[in-house]
């Protein structure tokens, strides 16, 4: 069974590092086959804050946003319907590399320059969610690495459940142990 460390944390406030959690599960009689990050390989993805959102002058469904990385402001063209000022977001600046070796470069979108990209979960290959950008909790610091600040939510642990432990085939069963 593969389960999300984040989902387990919602059921049990364990405050353990990943390796400590794996050790505790093993000691409880649940054999851990391994753990891995759900998110695929990418680099240069940081936490950002949307300071300002204005309609794009030449496109109805696009917005021109001012995004802060904690030090500088970047103009970014975004087409997500859920973009709003004040949001903490996942930001790929120029030079960042998304899954599939997709490099972020300065672009001109309908006549307006864009110096990065505000990411959705699908663009990071975390989930298939693509209804809009990924909005993070507001307690994260702009400029921090996304995976260091928020990546713990995307760790999965694989258990090898024996036939005599059907109770461990759910997050609640694992949480109980």
């Amino acid at each position: 069974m593969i389960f999300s460390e984040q989902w387990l944390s919602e059921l049990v406030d364990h405050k353990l590092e990943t390796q400590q959690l794996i050790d505790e599960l093993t000691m409880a009689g649940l054999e851990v086959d391994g753990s891995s990050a759900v998110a695929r390989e990418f680099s240069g993805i940081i936490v950002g804050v949307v300071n300002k959102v204005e309609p794009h002058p030449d496109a109805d469904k696009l917005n021109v946003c001012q995004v802060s990385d904690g030090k500088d402001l970047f103009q970014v063209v975004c087409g997500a319907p859920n973009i709003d000022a004040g949001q903490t977001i996942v930001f790929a600046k120029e030079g960042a590399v998304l899954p599939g070796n997709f490099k972020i470069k300065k672009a001109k979108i309908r006549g307006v320059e864009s110096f990065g990209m505000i990411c959705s979960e699908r663009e990071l290959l975390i989930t298939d969610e693509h209804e809009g950008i990924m909005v993070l909790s507001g307690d994260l610091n702009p400029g921090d690495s996304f995976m260091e600040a928020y990546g713990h939510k995307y760790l999965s642990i694989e258990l090898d459940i024996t036939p005599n432990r059907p109770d461990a085939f759910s997050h609640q069963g694992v949480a109980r142990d």
Side-chain angles (χ1 to χ4, degrees), residues 48-53 65-69 72-74 84-87:
V49 174
V50 179
N51 288 350
K52 187 164 101 176
V53 177
C65 307
Q66 294 295 321
V67 177
S68 171
D69 69 352
D72 300 314
L73 284 176
F74 299 87
D84 202 6
Q87 291 175 324

Side-chain angles (χ1 to χ4, degrees), residues 55-106:
H56 191 289
D58 294 329
D60 293 338
K61 294 186 179 184
L62 296 176
N63 292 301
V64 179
C65 307
Q66 294 295 321
V67 177
S68 171
D69 69 352
K71 296 176 188 168
D72 300 314
L73 284 176
F74 299 87
Q75 179 173 284
V76 179
V77 176
C78 180
N82 65 331
I83 189 78
D84 202 6
Q87 291 175 324
T88 302
I89 49 91
V90 181
F91 181 50
K93 296 194 297 188
E94 276 185 84
V97 179
L98 296 179
N101 204 28
F102 181 77
K103 294 180 176 98
I104 301 298
K105 300 175 187 167
K106 179 175 78 169

Side-chain angles (χ1 to χ4, degrees), residues 124-141:
L124 298 176
L125 296 182
I126 293 172
T127 68
D128 288 336
E129 178 64 37
H130 199 60
E131 295 300 315
I133 60 162
M134 188 174 179
V135 180
L136 306 174
S137 64
D139 60 347
L140 299 174
N141 297 321

